[in-house]
């Protein structure tokens, strides 16, 4: 990629952030619309889970393929294809006549979405080559997640209240078209010096792992553990096959050598934990505010602002802290705040009082605002720039997998607790195990943030990067063997 002027770099960042905005908006807007969709499409709790998880599951399964494909054939080309497919998927979702077709069209959206965020992050990584500039750019990137959280519930509430839940998908059309035209005009093409070959076996194993695991978790409350046990067996077998097969390829879909870096491994698990907490938090909160408190979509959206606003404000601050002091402090703040939020709901039933509910939402927003920048920066920093797309895709996959598992696990726990009873009479008790799970997720962020951000962790990152670069040189000259 050619060296760009500061103004052009900021424009590229803005265009990339537009893709993140529509992908992130889609999740927050959809959560507010869940009760309305439940009534209109006669959906069960597991049906609602699938409207979210069908999207995040396909996204998680295809992100690494999209990242490596973009590195190979051109990041701008794949990014533009993603914008087209995502926009078309949004139109189809707005026209869906049934729950099953809505789930299918959400999967179409996800195919497009898989070509957006990791590719955009790869473009940003190759545009902002200075470490501090990159950290600040990633802070802006994280702030866009906060913007989507702030706008999503409000926009979703207004559209659901004044039009219908179908209107939430219309928001993507003008943003997607504008991003497409701006990308065509201003984003330069870039690709890795040596493209990675496709890995169809690895891709099939990833889909089998994520799909079987998610299906088993979501369907367990309705079908029973005995009925879904084969899906868990498939998931375990797919994971074992991945761990055996991928190291034996010269150019694997998932380069397991990345995980020799303690900061990279930590960022992966932190991303899964943090986004599992986010997925579960939004799912529980939306159903509680509308089905238990009886709020309409707009007022439920307003109640989400105490969470969204701190996320928006803390994300750029986190990016600056990562750029000047490293990832440890933001991760410790994030883990502490998310743990405290989970404890408030699990121990003190924060839902039963407006003031405690408000504080719980604020704490979660602070925690989530601080966690995004260190995850992204740690995932791509120190890795060879030629593999930026793959490294960013692993980080994005971790986020989507976390959100998928969060909705699946928390939704399953909630469905099992409520059973055939009414939401109003049993919701707070049924949700308590879910809040404990979110507390554990916060503790994982805190512990791993402390463990994987010290001197020992940095040495493992430097060693992993050296081995990856040596492996790239060997491949370039045709030398045999893996490093």
């Amino acid at each position: 990629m050619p060296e760009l002027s500061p103004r052009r770099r900021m424009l590229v960042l803005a265009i990339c952030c537009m893709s993140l905005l529509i992908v992130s908006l889609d999740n927050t807007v959809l959560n507010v619309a869940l009760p309305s969709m439940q009534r209109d499409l006669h959906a069960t709790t597991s049906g609602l889970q699938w409207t979210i998880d069908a999207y995040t599951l396909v996204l998680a399964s295809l992100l690494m393929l999209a990242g490596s494909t973009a590195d190979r054939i051109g990041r701008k080309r794949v990014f533009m294809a993603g914008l087209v497919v995502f926009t078309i998927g949004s139109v189809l979702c707005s026209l869906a006549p049934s729950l099953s077709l809505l789930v299918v069209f959400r999967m179409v959206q996800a195919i497009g979405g898989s070509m957006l965020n990791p590719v955009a992050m790869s473009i940003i990584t190759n545009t902002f080559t200075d470490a501090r500039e990159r950290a600040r750019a990633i802070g802006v990137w994280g702030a866009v997640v906060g913007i989507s959280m702030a706008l999503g519930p409000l926009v979703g509430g207004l559209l659901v209240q004044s039009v219908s839940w179908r209107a939430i998908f219309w928001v993507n059309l003008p943003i997607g078209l504008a991003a497409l035209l701006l990308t065509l005009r201003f984003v330069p093409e870039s690709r890795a010096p040596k493209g990675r070959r496709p890995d169809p076996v690895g891709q099939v194993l990833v889909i089998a792992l994520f799909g079987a695991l998610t299906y088993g978790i979501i369907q367990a409350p309705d079908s029973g553990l005995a009925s879904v046990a084969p899906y868990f067996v498939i998931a375990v077998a797919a994971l074992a096959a991945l761990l055996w097969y991928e190291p034996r390829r010269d150019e694997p879909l998932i380069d397991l050598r990345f995980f020799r870096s303690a900061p990279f491994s930590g960022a992966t698990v932190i991303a899964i934990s943090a986004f599992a907490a986010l997925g579960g938090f939004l799912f529980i909160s939306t159903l509680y505010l509308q089905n238990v408190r009886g709020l309409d979509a707009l007022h439920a959206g307003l109640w989400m602002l105490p969470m969204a606003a701190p996320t928006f404000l803390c994300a750029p601050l986190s990016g600056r802290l990562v750029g000047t002091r490293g990832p440890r402090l933001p991760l410790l703040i994030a883990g502490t705040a998310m743990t405290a939020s989970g404890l408030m709901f699990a121990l003190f039933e924060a839902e039963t009082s407006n003031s405690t509910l408000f504080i719980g939402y604020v704490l979660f927003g602070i925690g989530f605002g601080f966690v995004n920048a260190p995850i992204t920066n740690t995932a791509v920093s120190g890795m060879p720039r030629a593999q930026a797309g793959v490294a960013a895709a692993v980080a994005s996959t971790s986020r989507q997998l976390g959100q998928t598992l969060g909705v699946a696990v928390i939704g399953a726990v909630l469905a099992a607790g409520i059973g055939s009873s009414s939401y109003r009479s049993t919701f707070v008790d049924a949700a308590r195990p879910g809040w404990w799970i979110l507390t554990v997720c916060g503790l994982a962020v805190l512990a791993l943030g402390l463990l994987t951000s010290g001197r020992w962790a940095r040495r493992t990152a430097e060693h992993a990067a050296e081995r990856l670069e040596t492996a790239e040189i060997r491949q370039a000259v045709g030398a045999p063997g893996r490093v």
Side-chain angles (χ1 to χ4, degrees), residues 71 192 196 255 257-258 383-392 468 472:
D71 284 344
R196 298 164 64 83
D255 197 330
R257 291 171 295 184
F258 284 171
M383 295 297 168
R385 287 175 60 189
Q387 296 195 38
V390 180
L468 285 166
E472 283 186 6

Side-chain angles (χ1 to χ4, degrees), residues 185-205:
R185 174 68 179 84
F186 295 107
V187 176
E189 183 61 280
S190 65
R191 55 176 57 87
K194 183 180 183 298
R196 298 164 64 83
R197 294 194 303 270
D199 180 9
V201 174
Q203 184 61 63
V204 170
L205 290 174

Side-chain angles (χ1 to χ4, degrees), residues 332-370:
L332 296 184
I333 295 172
T336 301
M338 294 174 76
T339 302
S341 174
L343 286 174
M344 284 198 65
F345 286 98
L347 287 177
F348 304 112
E349 297 184 0
E351 305 101 321
T352 57
S353 164
N354 284 345
S355 58
T356 53
L357 184 66
F358 179 87
I359 294 171
Y361 281 7
V362 169
L363 285 171
F364 189 89
I366 292 171
F368 192 75
F370 272 98

